Amino acid sequence: SCPPSATLEEQFPESKSEYAAEGTFAHTLAEHLLRGYLTTELKPSTYKKRLAELQKDPLYSQSMMEYIDQYKTIVGEKYLTLKKEYPDTFVMLEQRLDFSDWVPDGFGTGDVVIVAPGMIEIVDLKYGQGVPVSAVGNTQMRLYALGAINEFGMLYDFDRVRMTIIQPRLDSISE
């Protein structure tokens, strides 16, 4: 809503809270689980080795694994359902989305972007346990959708765009 605010913030040192660090780590774990589940990028031995490394991190917990596994299952169901109906469906994880045509220097990273004929879905993981975040009218999700359409619009004419926010710790899914 206020692009100059990002420039103004550049003069202040960056600081991270323990909650931000936990959220970043949860996203790293989620990406790894999804890559192992939905893609063939990783050899099983590489997947297991990296998972073991993640499990040694002080931010890792069994409860985090359970929440992220719920997220992985939901994303997997969305993708595999579309893939069954439309074999050309593909998924992108941690996809850079450029929406600078609408916001100067604007870009973000889509946690999950699912592209199917005529449809695109942006899925965002929110790991916090505060207030539920709605996908309805969500500015961030709208900008990510514009970035995804900008990136993949040459492949398909999209007539449906779905934006989903999953907050597993709040048992909340908003579409």
Side-chain angles (χ1 to χ4, degrees), residues 4-135:
S5 67
T7 305
L8 183 63
E9 284 184 4
E10 289 175 355
Q11 66 182 320
F12 300 106
E14 192 169 325
S15 63
K16 271 193 166 185
S17 71
E18 64 183 85
Y19 304 110
E22 180 184 54
T24 299
F25 182 78
H27 274 80
T28 300
L29 180 61
E31 178 187 4
H32 184 69
L33 293 181
L34 285 170
R35 283 201 191 283
Y37 185 49
L38 299 179
T39 75
T40 56
E41 296 174 24
L42 301 174
K43 294 179 185 174
S45 60
T46 304
Y47 174 83
K48 288 178 187 176
K49 181 180 176 186
R50 176 70 176 133
L51 182 57
E53 290 170 5
L54 291 169
Q55 289 172 325
K56 290 177 186 172
D57 191 289
L59 292 170
Y60 176 85
S61 69
Q62 186 57 41
S63 65
M64 178 185 281
M65 178 60 109
E66 290 168 8
Y67 287 123
I68 298 304
D69 193 58
Q70 289 172 13
Y71 167 77
K72 176 198 83 172
T73 300
I74 294 164
V75 170
E77 287 173 1
K78 288 176 166 295
Y79 171 68
L80 295 172
T81 298
L82 280 170
K83 184 82 171 162
K84 187 175 181 179
E85 186 174 349
Y86 305 104
D88 291 341
T89 298
F90 62 93
V91 64
M92 305 292 294
L93 304 174
E94 296 301 315
Q95 177 66 35
R96 186 180 200 283
L97 300 170
D98 180 349
F99 46 84
S100 58
D101 288 351
W102 298 272
V103 176
D105 300 320
F107 73 93
T109 303
D111 297 337
V112 178
V113 178
I114 302 171
V115 179
M119 186 205 173
I120 194 159
E121 180 164 6
I122 313 300
V123 181
D124 193 33
L125 168 65
K126 301 286 188 202
Y127 190 68
Q129 47 185 346
V131 178
V133 179
S134 176

